[in-house]
Amino acid sequence: MATSKLFEPIDLGPIRLANRVVMAPLTRSRAHEAGKPNDLHVEYYRQRASAGLIVTEATNISPEGRGYAYTPGIFSPEQVEGWKKVTDAVHAEGGKIVVQLWHVGRISHPDLQPGGALPVAPSAVRPDMKAFTEDGFKDAVAPRALEKSELPRVVDDYVKAAENAKAAGFDGVEIHSANGYLLHQFLADKTNKREDEYGGSIENRMRFPLEVVDAVLGVWGPERTGIRISPVSPANDIDDSNPGPLFTAYTQELSKRGLVYLHVIEGATQGDRDPKGFKSWDLKQHFSGLYMANNNYDRQLAFDRIEKGETDLVCFGRPFIANPDVVARLKVGAPFAEGPRETWYGGGAEGYTDYPALTPEEIARYAA
């Protein structure tokens, strides 16, 4: 059985994590009833509570923030009630869990918006992609540019979601500022064409995301607030012409605010770790809190980066789909099971809560 700092406890602000393995946010589209987490969610997260920290699937902060069919929200009392059962189950197993606060911006479709409205974004730039609706995949549309006067309303939605996260019993929150969603859209010059004080310079493009961060900090404090970024991932048709200076400046501003962790998708999701010659992990030197690494980590890379002090926490995503016991498998070097892709999104218990953990006999055999 391996010994590694990966399995040692660490303090995430006031939260003591049992190990440094993090379950990454994984959209699974199982919230079939008005975005309310159900008993399947309770069992799914309970099974995976051996992770040092669970970051929930991306969770809509408002009806406007929704961009995919069957994703959960945290803006209604019913949703809060559903999430409270999840957090209670995780805590009963000794786990820790934070909710990822999500507004998709332009990555949506009128079929998913209240009243069939256009999705909103910093600018009316159509994404080259398809949206996942209840009727299947449909071509994305050009969004409506948010008026300056509307921005405080969106900030208020983040605040309400953050307050609801407290009521639901979460240990903290992660602000989703990655993967081409709303906050990332304000940061990136491909999607932000504004001519007011929220567009143009790096300082201006950071303005709205930092307003959101400051508002959430007002609810949770920096010691229980993390953030996710993806400086060079092209997910959801996002890009910036010069990500190095942009994300260095953004990271420095986040560090000034004392956020407890910086969750970084290093490179392109499931792809090149070093596109454009920009090594995302170099951002660690600009951030005072804990650094959380993500993207195609295997056991050896996790061990190496942790031992060298190049990361504090390692996020695993797809392995957690078919392996509720990722930590145990990492310890003994057992292979990860693979779940059929057709069960990743939507459906019920099949391919969601029916994956077995290793038996004690299997653990002993791999550890030998």
Side-chain angles (χ1 to χ4, degrees), residues 104-128:
V104 302
R106 69 179 189 154
I107 308 302
S108 188
H109 189 277
D111 286 5
L112 298 163
Q113 292 290 307
L118 288 174
V120 298
S123 303
V125 180
R126 187 185 76 84
D128 183 13

Side-chain angles (χ1 to χ4, degrees), residues 31 33-38 59-63 66 71-86 161 164 167-168 170:
E33 183 187 342
K36 178 184 176 180
N38 52 50
T59 302
N60 310 311
I61 64 163
S62 66
R66 179 172 176 251
T71 52
I74 193 157
F75 52 83
S76 76
E78 294 77 19
Q79 292 164 352
V80 171
E81 177 188 10
W83 278 121
K84 185 66 169 65
K85 293 178 181 178
V86 170
N164 285 344
F170 284 102

Side-chain angles (χ1 to χ4, degrees), residues 245-308:
L246 168 62
F247 280 92
T248 297
Y250 192 41
T251 299
Q252 289 170 342
E253 287 297 325
L254 296 169
S255 185
K256 289 177 186 176
R257 288 161 168 79
L259 272 72
V260 72
Y261 72 79
L262 181 71
H263 177 181
V264 182
I265 299 173
E266 299 174 342
T269 303
Q270 301 180 34
D272 187 355
R273 297 177 58 78
D274 187 19
K276 298 189 176 184
F278 178 62
K279 295 176 174 59
S280 303
W281 49 91
D282 287 345
L283 293 172
K284 185 178 189 297
Q285 65 186 309
H286 298 286
F287 189 70
S288 58
L290 297 183
Y291 180 90
M292 182 187 295
N294 190 336
N295 193 23
N296 278 342
Y297 271 74
D298 59 19
R299 184 174 186 256
Q300 193 58 54
L301 183 59
F303 284 7
D304 290 347
R305 296 286 306 281
I306 283 278
E307 295 302 330
K308 293 177 181 176

